């Protein structure tokens, strides 16, 4: 990764922190502070800089006929439910070719990571089944970005307890941050998502790093570039 790209990533991740903190401060000042850190994200816009990184990478492929939609305009038809809004949908010649979902978390990882996992598994599987049944285009790619705060709670080793079955040893002693990266890697490997970026962010002093290069930005950007030039490739039937 060149220095310019690394600087752009750092600026976008720093914006994630500053916008969240500004939203939390505004909420407190208005007397409408919500429990925990929720007030820092419910105002929206804390992931705008991350979204711009992805949009710039898509446009950087030089593909013609692209249209970018976000929020409610990025709503796709579903199979298990009538529709679902994604964070970003890219159309080529009016056909959806890429759907992207962003997730960020800083605090309460033990409580929230499994909830976020349940949400994204359902969202991706709904889209995958919709593709298989002709509701969505069969060559649309799914992408996932997960930003997690690197702090004392998210980086400490965690046991798996005593669940029934044969617990996967990779999770034994893995921190919540490492579990997030494992989840993203396995979603990409299984084809639930075609591309994923997992990144950790330290707030004070600011720093960021990628816990697993297989779901780092370099691989994520390469997957985007591979998806667009010359038209999107047909999906791998072994991963459907």
């Amino acid at each position: 990764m060149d220095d310019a790209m690394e600087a752009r990533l750092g600026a976008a991740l720093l914006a994630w922190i500053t916008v969240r903190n500004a939203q939390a401060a505004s909420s407190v000042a208005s007397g409408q502070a919500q429990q925990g850190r929720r007030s820092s994200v419910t105002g929206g816009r804390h992931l705008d800089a991350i979204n711009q990184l992805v949009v710039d990478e898509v446009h950087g492929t030089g593909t013609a006929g692209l249209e970018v939609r976000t929020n409610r305009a990025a709503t796709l038809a579903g199979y298990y439910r009538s529709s679902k809004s994604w964070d970003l949908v890219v159309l080529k010649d009016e056909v959806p070719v890429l759907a992207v979902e962003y997730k960020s978390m800083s605090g309460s990882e033990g409580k929230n990571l499994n909830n976020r996992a349940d949400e994204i598994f359902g969202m991706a599987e709904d889209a995958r089944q919709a593709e298989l049944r002709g509701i969505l285009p069969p060559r649309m790619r799914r992408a996932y970005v997960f930003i997690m705060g690197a702090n004392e709670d998210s980086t400490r080793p965690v046991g798996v307890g005593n669940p029934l079955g044969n617990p996967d040893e990779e999770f034994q002693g893995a921190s919540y941050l490492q579990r997030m990266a494992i989840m993203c890697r396995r979603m990409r490997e299984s084809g639930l998502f075609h591309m994923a970026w997992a990144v950790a962010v330290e707030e004070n002093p600011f720093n960021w790093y990628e816990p697993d290069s297989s779901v780092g930005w370099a691989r994520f950007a390469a997957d985007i570039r591979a998806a667009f030039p010359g038209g999107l490739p047909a999906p791998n039937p072994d991963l459907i």
Side-chain angles (χ1 to χ4, degrees):
M1 183 187 305
D2 61 35
D3 292 343
M5 187 70 249
E6 187 167 348
R8 289 184 60 210
L9 295 177
L13 293 166
L14 181 58
W16 172 69
I17 292 174
T18 56
V19 173
R20 282 173 46 250
N21 289 344
Q23 288 170 342
S26 176
S27 181
V28 170
S30 66
Q32 298 177 342
Q34 302 176 57
Q35 184 177 6
R37 296 175 178 261
R38 181 169 172 76
S39 59
S40 68
V41 298
T42 53
R45 309 196 67 81
H46 58 295
L47 290 168
D48 282 2
I50 302 299
N51 179 70
Q52 192 61 53
L53 282 176
V54 177
V55 170
D56 289 347
E57 200 67 34
V58 169
H59 284 309
T61 66
T63 306
L66 297 182
E67 177 186 353
V68 171
R69 296 188 182 184
T70 58
N71 303 319
R72 292 188 181 277
T75 300
L76 295 174
Y79 174 69
Y80 295 107
R81 51 191 166 188
S82 62
S83 63
K84 180 67 175 75
S85 293
W86 290 65
D87 288 317
L88 170 69
V89 170
V90 178
L91 292 80
K92 175 175 168 52
D93 300 325
E94 302 183 353
V95 176
V97 292
L98 175 66
V100 187
E101 187 69 8
Y102 307 114
K103 185 59 63 179
S104 68
M105 182 182 300
S106 183
S108 303
E109 289 82 11
K111 176 181 177 182
N112 292 325
L113 183 56
N114 278 352
N115 291 337
R116 300 294 85 79
D118 291 343
E119 292 169 1
I120 200 59
F121 297 160
M123 190 173 185
E125 182 60 19
D126 184 42
R128 180 159 64 172
Q129 291 301 321
E131 292 179 21
L132 292 174
R133 289 162 172 78
I135 298 170
L136 291 175
R139 296 187 295 172
M140 188 189 79
R141 316 316 267 169
R142 298 178 295 275
Y144 189 53
V145 174
F146 201 136
I147 304 167
M148 180 178 282
N151 52 56
E152 184 177 351
D153 289 336
S154 67
T155 57
R156 63 180 175 84
V158 181
V160 298
N162 295 294
L164 299 175
N166 298 304
D168 192 321
E169 284 297 320
E170 188 170 5
F171 289 111
Q172 183 65 49
S175 67
Y176 290 117
L177 181 58
Q178 291 170 323
R179 290 183 180 190
M180 179 270 287
I182 292 169
M183 179 185 77
C184 289
R185 186 189 77 233
R186 291 182 176 184
M187 288 194 302
R188 185 187 180 281
E189 290 174 346
S190 69
L192 192 61
F193 280 87
H194 305 97
M195 52 197 82
W197 181 32
V199 60
V201 179
E202 298 173 355
E203 187 162 336
N204 188 22
F206 171 72
N207 185 36
W208 66 274
Y209 59 93
E210 296 168 337
D212 186 336
S213 62
S214 70
V215 283
W217 174 262
R219 182 62 178 267
F220 184 84
D223 286 341
I224 290 178
R225 292 191 298 270
F228 281 88
L232 289 171
N236 183 344
D238 294 332
L239 298 181
I240 294 178

